Amino acid sequence: MKNSHDAPSNPTVNDIARVAQVSLATVDRVLNERPGVRDVTVKKVNRAIAELGYVRDTAAANLARGKIYRFLFILPAANNEFVDLLESQIAHLSKGLKSERTQISCMRVPAFDPMALAEAINALDPLQIDGVTVFGPETPSIRDSISRLRAHGVSVVSLVADIPSSERNTYVGIDNVAAGRTAAQLMGRFLGSVQGNILVVTGSMLARDHLERRLGFDRVIARDFPQLRVLASLEGRDDPDLIERLLPQTLAGAGDVVGIYSSAAGNAGLIRHFESASELAQPVIIAHELTPLSRSALASGLFDAVISQDAGHLVRSAVRIMRAHSDNSPINPAQERIRIDIYLNENLPPDTGGT
């Protein structure tokens, strides 16, 4: 076997076969992780690859094989502007990636319905899909469904809300605990020395992202702003009509509410309430996700701040990661890190029509 310093500058599969003393067909099977090769032979081929410094051109190999990447996004079906933004970004990216042999599709399942999501995942044919991105709650049934996909070699990415107890490959989204801490700092600084109660409007206590945001929010308020008291969460199910119905009674029985942290969706109901209500003093309102609706509320002064994450970055990152896992290639963690963006009326980006 040749020493590494005698290796060709641009080693090929022919060099691997020669050094490992195997056939080209065997090298091809090892490179593509196909069965039918003894472990001792796999080790010989991998030693030759390492010694030669061979770097596989995955794109060229996939082109030669005519490989098509098939990726699916599963999103919650709800009256949720941010999910609508995600879906529009998926459709936009899908058009641009057709020339790169990548097919991206999207399906919606009922929001906050773990069994419906598990059934949708279980109905997928793992032989017809390479990667799935899931935006949903963390429950045993969903964990089992993800395990089934992973057992068949399908990559799985959790989106916006992590499912860390599952066998998912990666999470794509902001650090939701940090987002909650950020909201608390903004709330406390906006209110200054004002004393009173804070109402948290959440989607569901089953949603990990909502729970983590509440956890981070509570910790910072308790530590830095003891003059503020955080009330029990109002569970709005991301339903604007439900939130609008629940708010009057909730606020009436909550005492002096000086701030509202809307940690989920359904902001239309919150906006409609305060646009029609006769409260003498409007509370400080901090919401999540920059959408046309929250942008308008910021511009009018109804919302004081919006904590957001870039929908386009989320979708592009999920696709890059699914593709990397499909190719057994590394990912760039810095490129895939999703920033926590903070928007005020003063720093709103230009409205391009899609936000």
Side-chain angles (χ1 to χ4, degrees):
M1 188 173 290
K2 295 179 74 175
N3 294 323
S4 59
H5 59 79
D6 294 323
S9 57
N10 294 300
T12 67
V13 291
N14 289 292
D15 295 315
I16 297 171
R18 174 175 51 78
V19 172
Q21 297 181 336
V22 298
S23 68
L24 283 173
T26 298
V27 173
D28 180 74
R29 283 195 290 271
V30 174
L31 287 174
N32 291 288
E33 298 183 341
R34 288 195 287 267
V37 184
R38 292 184 302 165
D39 288 344
V40 64
T41 304
V42 171
K43 291 177 181 178
K44 285 175 61 178
V45 172
N46 285 330
R47 279 199 302 270
I49 290 171
E51 183 172 342
L52 289 165
Y54 174 79
V55 178
R56 190 182 189 197
D57 187 340
T58 304
N62 287 337
L63 180 62
R65 288 184 295 154
K67 177 178 175 59
I68 296 176
Y69 300 91
R70 299 156 300 178
F71 300 139
L72 171 68
F73 283 78
I74 303 179
L75 305 179
N79 187 1
N80 186 323
E81 278 198 320
F82 183 64
V83 177
D84 292 342
L85 277 179
L86 289 171
E87 188 168 23
S88 68
Q89 290 290 337
I90 292 165
H92 176 73
L93 186 61
S94 177
K95 293 177 183 177
L97 289 178
K98 286 181 179 178
S99 61
E100 298 183 26
R101 309 178 315 284
T102 302
Q103 297 175 352
I104 306 175
S105 57
C106 179
M107 68 182 296
R108 296 265 198 135
V109 299
F112 309 121
D113 188 337
M115 293 309 299
L117 177 56
E119 288 171 4
I121 297 173
N122 289 334
L124 299 175
D125 182 353
L127 299 178
Q128 299 299 318
I129 200 158
D130 299 298
V132 177
T133 293
V134 178
F135 182 174
E138 181 182 31
T139 68
S141 60
I142 293 171
R143 290 196 295 266
D144 291 344
S145 299
I146 290 173
S147 295
R148 171 182 169 272
L149 286 180
R150 295 291 298 119
H152 286 86
V154 178
S155 62
V156 178
V157 173
S158 57
L159 186 72
V160 179
D162 197 8
I163 313 175
S165 61
S166 73
E167 295 178 32
R168 59 96 174 109
N169 295 87
T170 314
Y171 163 63
V172 173
I174 57 174
D175 179 334
N176 283 298
V177 176
R181 294 200 302 264
T182 302
Q185 279 292 343
L186 290 170
M187 182 70 74
R189 290 172 184 270
F190 281 140
L191 288 170
S193 60
V194 172
Q195 300 183 20
N197 298 328
I198 306 295
L199 175 65
V200 176
V201 180
T202 190
S204 168
M205 302 309 291
L206 288 175
R208 186 181 185 94
D209 52 331
H210 302 175
L211 289 171
E212 289 180 339
R213 291 171 187 177
R214 171 75 199 237
L215 176 64
F217 188 83
D218 285 354
R219 284 177 175 172
V220 170
I221 292 293
R223 184 191 68 198
D224 296 343
F225 308 102
Q227 77 277 14
L228 301 174
R229 183 168 72 94
V230 185
L231 304 173
S233 294
L234 172 63
E235 194 169 8
R237 310 288 293 177
D238 286 356
D239 182 339
D241 295 333
L242 177 61
I243 292 172
E244 187 177 17
R245 290 197 305 271
L246 293 176
L247 267 175
Q249 182 179 358
T250 302
L251 291 171
D256 186 17
V257 173
V258 295
I260 295 178
Y261 174 36
S262 180
S263 67
N267 285 324
L270 188 66
I271 291 169
R272 290 198 299 261
H273 169 79
F274 282 103
E275 285 180 341
S276 61
S278 58
E279 277 85 0
L280 294 177
Q282 180 186 304
V284 169
I285 300 178
I286 296 172
H288 269 264
E289 313 309 352
L290 188 65
T291 67
L293 189 71
S294 60
R295 170 191 288 274
S296 176
L298 270 177
S300 70
L302 179 62
F303 284 1
D304 295 271
V306 170
I307 297 169
S308 193
Q309 52 195 319
D310 187 297
H313 191 180
L314 287 165
V315 171
R316 293 189 299 272
S317 180
V319 170
R320 282 194 297 264
I321 289 171
M322 288 189 289
R323 187 161 178 161
H325 284 303
S326 182
D327 290 341
N328 291 316
S329 300
I331 64 173
N332 182 347
Q335 183 183 28
E336 312 311 345
R337 185 176 66 85
I338 308 299
R339 298 191 316 264
I340 296 175
D341 295 321
I342 302 172
Y343 291 105
L344 311 175
N345 184 22
E346 288 75 11
N347 72 334
L348 279 174
D351 187 355
T352 59
T355 303

